[in-house]
Amino acid sequence: MSEHSGMVQKRGIGHWFTHLGLIIGVLFIFFPIWLAFVASTVTQPEIVRPPMPLLPGGHFIENYSKALFSGVNAPVALMMMNSLIMALGITIGKIIISLMSAFAIVYFRFPGRTIFFWLIFLTLMLPVEVRIVPTYQVIANFGMLNSYSGLIFPLIASATATFLFRQFFLTVPDELTEAARVDGASPMQFFWHILLPMSRTNIAALFVILFIYGWNQYLWPLLITTDPSMNTIVMGIRQMFPSGDDLADWPVIMATSILAMVPPVIVVISMQKFFIRGLIDSEK
Amino acid sequence: MEKRVIFKGWMLPALLLMPQIVITAIFFFYPAGQAIWQSMFVPDPFGLKTQFVGLGNFEYLLNDPYYRASFLTTAIFSTLVTVVSMGVALYLAILADRLIKGSGTYRTLLIWPYAVAPAVAGVLWMFMFNTRVGVVSWYLGLLGYDWNHVLNEAEAMGLVVAASSWGRISYNFLFFLAGLQAIPRSVIEAAAIDGAKFWTRFRTIVWPLLSPVTFFLMVVNVVYAFFETFGVIHTITSGGPQQATTILVYKVYSDGFVGQDLGSSAAQSVILLFVVGVLTVIQFKFIERRVHY
Amino acid sequence: MATLTLDNVRKSFGATDVIHGVDIDVQEGEFIVIVGPSGCGKSTLLRMVAGLEGISSGEIRINGKRVNEAEPSARDIAMVFQNYALYPHMSVFDNMAYGLKIAKTPKDEIAARVATAAKLLQLQPYLDRRPRELSGGQRQRVAMGRAIVRKPAVFLFDEPLSNLDAKLRVQMRLEIKQLQRELGVTSLYVTHDQVEAMTLADRMIVMNAGVADQIGKPLEVYENPQTEFVAGFIGSPATNFVPAGSVGVSVGTTVGIRPEHIKLSAEPSRLQARVAYCEALGAETLVHLRLDNGQLVTVRQGGHLPLPTEGTDLWMGWHDASMMVFGEDGRRINAV
């Protein structure tokens, strides 16, 4: 039998080359993260006299506790709390209002339904980055600068989740709704008892995607949180670099970078199944 | 697509829609309207009042060499990010797809950067290539290459492209792997029995079958490069040197907030709005086509 | 137990009528099967009775009470859906109990009613399972159970067996019949399968393009089809139709003869045809013959008879009484 390499399975040397290629890829992907981790465990002098070491040092606890509890402008623990509130606010808020509006759009006929659908749908197109100046002015007029609601609301105002739930609701068999009607369920009873439990997987998937979206926001918090105590961790890192020629406190900055990755990475890895399903379903 | 079964009444759906409508109106439609409105005004030199200029801001922008340069920069940047991140991802996906066992492990390992914020990715790469303390730039120096992305425009562009692509590989990898795994084994095996070697099989069977995924990723990655890479640029180069990495979104920010030129910034927002609109239409045309597959 | 009356019921979507005035009178405890090809409006009719589709005109009465405007849950009906429509995230118990819970039935009564239904359907071991952990037949039983626990006045079945494999379908058919006898609940059952209709029905309704072509006991309908459509739809293999003129009938346009009513012989008789092929099924043999005009005619004869040789010309004969003559409008002319 002749040997076929490639997508037809085979053993032997080619098999190991495949692993080798992937391992190189993984190392390449991990190298920046590894380097940041190493930098967060050594001292400032070790970094500023290049080349810095490539293996972790012994100052892990020192650097991380310095970052967490004193930071540069604000303690990183506080910034993480801000990030967490923002990410959860966006995630939960968006899921709730999207479930409600998707339910209304899919399961009811009322005047203006199509218009509402398209109005909401239009918002799919516009990332907050495009409308930052006027949105900033709205938030400023409402006195919502340096507040959680100012961080959260403008980022809820998009229809991605509504659209996803709509797509999912459309796949729920009509017979289930009919069975519920024959069983005497009211619209809201149908929503609570049947639609919501059936959406659990989608909600979980969306939770992951939105949490990362919220946690990783940069430009918006940069604009509206001028008070360091309201900074989120992702935007706060950049604020830790001194202006001018002063030397950055690299170990603390890198410790903060690692800390900024930990929550979203935990969420992604632990909910990998939902996340992949949600991602691939949602973009189809 | 419509539901056969519907509930009666309009009060309940109105209540259900209310939160989304209110939030969207205040934080989306009002600002978007403002952007369009402001794009037609310029402030007077004392900043006391504004003057209506109609499409003047747009006219000015389209004749502004900096804005045109920013357009070109954005085009180069997004093309490079799309090609690099998709290329690496496809390569890794093909390798992972060859494994019977273990592709899940690699997937878990490769998924990480998706969770890393673009701004954090920017800090990581800036650290590696930092002119004073960067490890990579130091070793490049040993090899006789003097890396300085603070001064060298091409190197600055290279670095923001690398950092932006790096964060995107996971996403593309997931889609390519899913796409490859969705291709029926039997089709590839049939081609192998027909005597097609790896490269022929890839070119004539796998690649065509993968094209819907590829096309989708192209659009999505362009959108990503346009709008979501702000954090990378802001942390690594702040648009410099000499605006060499000032992409359109960065310019909206720097003209609007740093330069306080609200009219111009608003006009740029409107142009971007238009660009996103076109990209979205392309994407939806594609989704529709896919539905009829 | 209850009666169900449909009085000149019509349904139209815009300008198109899908149900053209149907009258049905269902007696207490009667099992009525509506049978017809897909798209004839039989499911729509059932869903109108259930309250899931609006009624354009006419009246539906359950126990003499007009229910046109009533919500499905207020009509005292229960429905078994084609794909069972079980709530995927609920256990078998909860699936059966859901309607009762909505109706705020006391907990112990719910438990008692579900237990009775589960016993009747042999579902006791599965009460804690989710629908996806059940086989097709078991899901079917749960769907039945959900209908039973409500103790409705009328059962509505929408092609409940069409998702099962052939063997299970036969078994479930018997179970449904037995159950209905036992409970004595008035039932309306929709199917496209004439065997189900023949075996289950006390009376059957053959529907064609939104019209109830014929209502009657299964054997009556089989023996005395009132329209060309019914003659062709009920019976397998299907009735043979030949132009009236070709067999010397002067009234009507078409003559239908059932395959079992034709005798083949070498002696000259009514119509000559050439044997195309034979299907010997053991107990019986289907002989397919080709007429001069190319049309195929099927003859069903006993399996003990010698197989005709393919390609030979034979004569077909039948009694006058077995001829069904239809007019231009498709209605039977020589009705008995």
Side-chain angles (χ1 to χ4, degrees):
Chain A
M1 227 183 90
S2 71
E3 270 227 341
H4 300 291
S5 62
M7 279 143 273
V8 175
Q9 212 48 53
K10 68 162 195 170
R11 300 269 156 222
I13 295 179
H15 187 67
W16 295 112
F17 272 118
T18 306
H19 279 287
L20 189 69
L22 281 165
I23 288 165
I24 291 172
V26 170
L27 290 180
F28 169 75
I29 294 285
F30 265 93
F31 184 67
I33 300 175
W34 175 253
L35 212 60
F37 177 70
V38 171
S40 72
T41 60
V42 297
T43 60
Q44 174 81 341
E46 282 179 277
I47 292 175
V48 293
R49 274 194 305 277
M52 64 167 270
L54 294 177
L55 290 174
H59 299 266
F60 178 88
I61 293 172
E62 180 191 323
N63 291 335
Y64 279 81
S65 54
K66 186 177 170 204
L68 276 173
F69 304 116
S70 40
V72 174
N73 304 309
V76 172
L78 181 66
M79 298 200 285
M80 287 180 87
M81 181 53 78
N82 292 336
S83 283
L84 189 70
I85 292 171
M86 179 187 183
L88 287 179
I90 291 171
T91 308
I92 294 168
K94 212 164 173 168
I95 287 176
I96 290 174
I97 65 165
S98 304
L99 275 168
M100 284 164 57
S101 52
F103 178 57
I105 285 173
V106 172
Y107 282 95
F108 292 86
R109 297 286 172 282
F110 50 90
R113 189 183 72 104
T114 335
I115 296 169
F116 284 128
F117 176 69
W118 281 107
L119 283 181
I120 291 175
F121 198 74
L122 261 177
T123 64
L124 267 183
M125 311 195 307
L126 289 177
V128 72
E129 281 77 3
V130 177
R131 51 189 158 96
I132 43 169
V133 178
T135 311
Y136 175 84
Q137 288 165 343
V138 170
I139 295 295
N141 290 341
F142 283 163
M144 282 159 78
L145 296 178
N146 290 312
S147 76
Y148 290 124
S149 49
L151 280 172
I152 292 167
F153 278 116
L155 296 171
I156 291 184
S158 101
T160 36
T162 312
F163 189 68
L164 284 186
F165 282 127
R166 172 182 174 267
Q167 298 297 87
F168 171 68
F169 289 169
L170 286 175
T171 68
V172 173
D174 282 340
E175 283 81 359
L176 281 183
T177 325
E178 294 179 337
R181 277 185 74 186
V182 172
D183 274 339
S186 70
M188 284 320 283
Q189 280 172 323
F190 169 72
F191 179 74
W192 282 113
H193 297 157
I194 291 156
L195 208 52
L196 211 54
M198 284 182 70
S199 313
R200 272 178 311 195
T201 331
N202 294 65
I203 291 172
L206 214 54
F207 182 90
V208 183
I209 292 169
L210 290 176
F211 183 85
I212 290 167
Y213 167 81
W215 183 275
N216 287 351
Q217 280 303 316
Y218 180 74
L219 175 57
W220 187 244
L222 185 71
L223 294 181
I224 76 150
T225 65
T226 45
D227 175 358
S229 72
M230 282 301 293
N231 282 180
T232 64
I233 183 165
V234 169
M235 59 136 320
I237 298 172
R238 168 68 203 255
Q239 310 300 99
M240 293 171 140
F241 286 96
S243 50
D245 262 358
D246 294 346
L247 211 50
D249 188 351
W250 288 107
V252 169
I253 290 176
M254 286 299 133
T256 310
S257 300
I258 295 290
L259 286 171
M261 286 179 224
V262 170
V265 166
I266 289 174
V267 169
V268 165
I269 302 290
S270 65
M271 294 176 80
Q272 199 188 145
K273 267 209 184 81
F274 294 123
F275 160 68
I276 291 173
R277 212 187 108 176
L279 198 65
I280 290 175
D281 282 354
S282 71
E283 309 278 16
K284 256 184 199 162
Chain B
M1 216 170 26
E2 294 276 296
K3 279 271 169 196
R4 188 175 67 198
V5 193
I6 49 159
F7 295 111
K8 293 191 194 98
W10 60 271
M11 279 286 283
L12 182 60
L15 276 172
L16 289 167
L17 271 177
M18 196 60 78
Q20 178 138 24
I21 296 284
V22 169
I23 290 177
T24 310
I26 297 176
F27 298 104
F28 186 89
F29 284 106
Y30 177 67
Q34 282 286 304
I36 296 173
W37 181 250
Q38 284 170 359
S39 72
M40 293 184 287
F41 288 87
V42 284
D44 68 8
F46 306 103
L48 296 175
K49 53 184 180 179
T50 55
Q51 189 193 345
F52 182 77
V53 292
L55 297 177
N57 281 323
F58 294 95
E59 208 181 309
Y60 177 79
L61 272 179
L62 296 177
N63 289 318
D64 176 7
Y66 286 115
Y67 193 67
R68 289 185 179 189
S70 175
F71 243 107
L72 185 65
T73 307
T74 311
I76 295 171
F77 173 74
S78 49
T79 309
L80 286 174
V81 169
T82 304
V83 169
V84 171
S85 63
M86 283 177 68
V88 176
L90 179 61
Y91 169 74
L92 292 173
I94 290 173
L95 291 181
D97 184 51
R98 291 174 58 165
L99 300 173
I100 289 181
K101 282 185 215 156
S103 69
T105 313
Y106 287 109
R107 196 174 63 187
T108 306
L109 289 172
L110 288 170
I111 225 171
W112 274 53
Y114 178 83
V116 178
V120 176
V123 172
L124 299 188
W125 281 76
M126 185 252 273
F127 179 60
M128 284 198 294
F129 284 89
N130 190 283
T131 44
R132 275 201 229 164
V133 303
V135 176
V136 179
S137 50
W138 191 82
Y139 280 107
L140 283 174
L142 275 193
L143 297 171
Y145 188 91
D146 187 17
W147 176 275
N148 192 338
H149 65 265
V150 180
L151 296 176
N152 185 311
E153 296 176 11
E155 285 171 12
M157 177 58 92
L159 190 56
V160 290
V161 167
S164 305
S165 310
W166 175 81
R168 203 58 186 173
I169 290 171
S170 311
Y171 183 91
N172 297 341
F173 172 79
L174 287 177
F175 275 88
F176 274 133
L177 186 59
L180 286 170
Q181 287 176 340
I183 297 175
R185 287 277 134 179
S186 55
V187 173
I188 291 155
E189 282 162 2
I193 289 164
D194 285 343
K197 292 273 177 251
F198 173 78
W199 180 242
T200 318
R201 284 205 300 272
F202 181 79
R203 201 167 42 81
T204 57
I205 296 168
V206 177
W207 182 249
L209 287 175
L210 208 55
S211 64
V213 179
T214 313
F215 183 76
F216 163 77
L217 285 178
M218 265 170 60
V219 176
V220 172
N221 281 299
V222 167
V223 173
Y224 163 81
F226 260 69
F227 302 108
E228 288 164 49
T229 49
F230 176 87
V232 176
I233 307 235
H234 192 240
T235 48
I236 299 183
T237 64
S238 295
Q242 280 90 49
Q243 305 218 11
T245 55
T246 301
I247 60 169
L248 291 169
V249 164
Y250 194 85
K251 201 164 162 59
V252 172
Y253 162 80
S254 64
D255 287 357
F257 282 91
V258 186
Q260 290 291 317
D261 185 352
L262 293 188
S264 169
S265 172
Q268 293 180 30
S269 287
V270 173
I271 293 174
L272 274 182
L273 227 129
F274 180 74
V275 173
V276 191
V278 171
L279 284 171
T280 311
V281 168
I282 294 176
Q283 196 175 336
F284 272 90
K285 279 266 179 282
F286 161 74
I287 288 174
E288 257 166 42
R289 210 189 60 185
R290 199 183 162 100
V291 168
H292 297 299
Y293 230 63
Chain C
M1 276 202 262
T3 59
L4 168 66
T5 312
L6 275 67
D7 194 351
N8 197 19
V9 167
R10 284 168 195 275
K11 169 93 184 169
S12 41
F13 291 111
T16 30
D17 285 356
V18 284
I19 305 286
H20 303 263
V22 172
D23 296 286
I24 307 173
D25 245 311
V26 185
Q27 304 304 313
E28 280 191 7
E30 203 176 13
F31 199 125
I32 297 279
V33 177
I34 307 177
V35 64
S38 62
C40 72
K42 57 188 191 299
S43 280
T44 309
L45 192 64
L46 188 81
R47 293 162 51 77
M48 286 161 76
V49 175
L52 297 169
E53 298 264 4
I55 299 158
S56 302
S57 76
E59 195 169 85
I60 295 179
R61 291 187 293 271
I62 293 176
N63 260 342
K65 209 179 95 209
R66 176 187 164 99
V67 294
N68 283 30
E69 289 79 21
E71 274 293 301
S73 53
R75 293 188 180 200
D76 203 9
I77 49 121
M79 186 154 168
V80 178
F81 292 86
Q82 182 168 9
N83 61 5
Y84 320 136
L86 301 178
Y87 309 122
H89 58 289
M90 292 186 194
S91 67
V92 168
F93 180 93
D94 289 333
N95 261 287
M96 293 208 261
Y98 185 64
L100 299 177
K101 279 183 189 160
I102 296 272
K104 301 212 161 54
T105 313
K107 273 222 171 78
D108 42 342
E109 195 188 333
I110 295 180
R113 283 213 219 169
V114 172
T116 313
K119 195 174 165 211
L120 198 62
L121 293 161
Q122 293 144 25
L123 281 172
Q124 291 121 314
Y126 310 112
L127 283 174
D128 292 328
R129 298 219 189 151
R130 296 281 166 89
R132 65 162 180 279
E133 298 163 318
L134 301 177
S135 70
Q138 289 163 343
R139 284 180 208 179
Q140 168 69 61
R141 286 203 186 95
V142 178
M144 301 269 304
R146 181 163 69 180
I148 291 171
V149 294
R150 301 178 48 123
K151 298 192 177 162
V154 180
F155 273 149
L156 304 174
F157 297 90
D158 187 6
E159 307 224 16
L161 301 181
S162 61
N163 284 349
L164 299 176
D165 64 42
K167 201 176 154 203
L168 209 50
R169 205 176 317 165
V170 174
Q171 187 196 332
M172 287 307 296
R173 202 167 71 203
L174 283 170
E175 286 187 24
I176 289 178
K177 181 77 183 170
Q178 269 178 346
L179 207 63
Q180 197 266 345
R181 286 252 170 86
E182 224 166 292
L183 301 169
V185 179
T186 311
S187 301
L188 197 58
Y189 184 111
V190 159
T191 181
H192 64 270
D193 180 344
Q194 50 162 312
V195 180
E196 272 174 40
M198 296 291 292
T199 50
L200 285 172
D202 292 330
R203 279 191 299 155
M204 68 194 241
I205 299 167
V206 185
M207 269 192 85
N208 176 29
V211 176
D213 262 23
Q214 191 168 355
I215 304 181
K217 292 196 169 114
L219 282 180
E220 276 173 24
V221 173
Y222 181 83
E223 276 160 13
N224 259 314
Q226 294 305 304
T227 67
E228 195 175 329
F229 172 80
V230 176
F233 189 76
I234 302 294
S236 171
T239 300
N240 301 294
F241 293 101
V242 292
S246 70
V247 289
V249 175
S250 51
V251 291
T253 53
T254 313
V255 168
I257 313 112
R258 292 209 179 271
E260 64 267 33
H261 291 150
I262 304 176
K263 294 271 174 295
L264 293 175
S265 75
E267 309 300 316
S269 183
R270 293 198 192 238
L271 205 56
Q272 201 186 22
R274 177 164 294 171
V275 178
Y277 52 94
C278 301
E279 294 173 298
L281 303 173
E284 59 182 39
T285 301
L286 302 181
V287 185
H288 302 276
L289 303 102
R290 198 175 294 281
L291 299 177
D292 288 343
N293 63 7
Q295 192 194 339
L296 276 175
V297 170
T298 305
V299 175
R300 175 196 235 157
Q301 59 179 32
H304 60 281
L305 294 173
L307 283 182
T309 317
E310 288 174 14
T312 52
D313 287 324
L314 288 176
W315 285 88
M316 303 186 289
W318 53 82
H319 297 298
D320 280 345
S322 55
M323 273 201 289
M324 303 177 279
V325 185
F326 301 99
E328 209 169 330
D329 59 353
R331 301 214 73 84
R332 182 84 175 265
I333 289 175
N334 64 341
V336 183

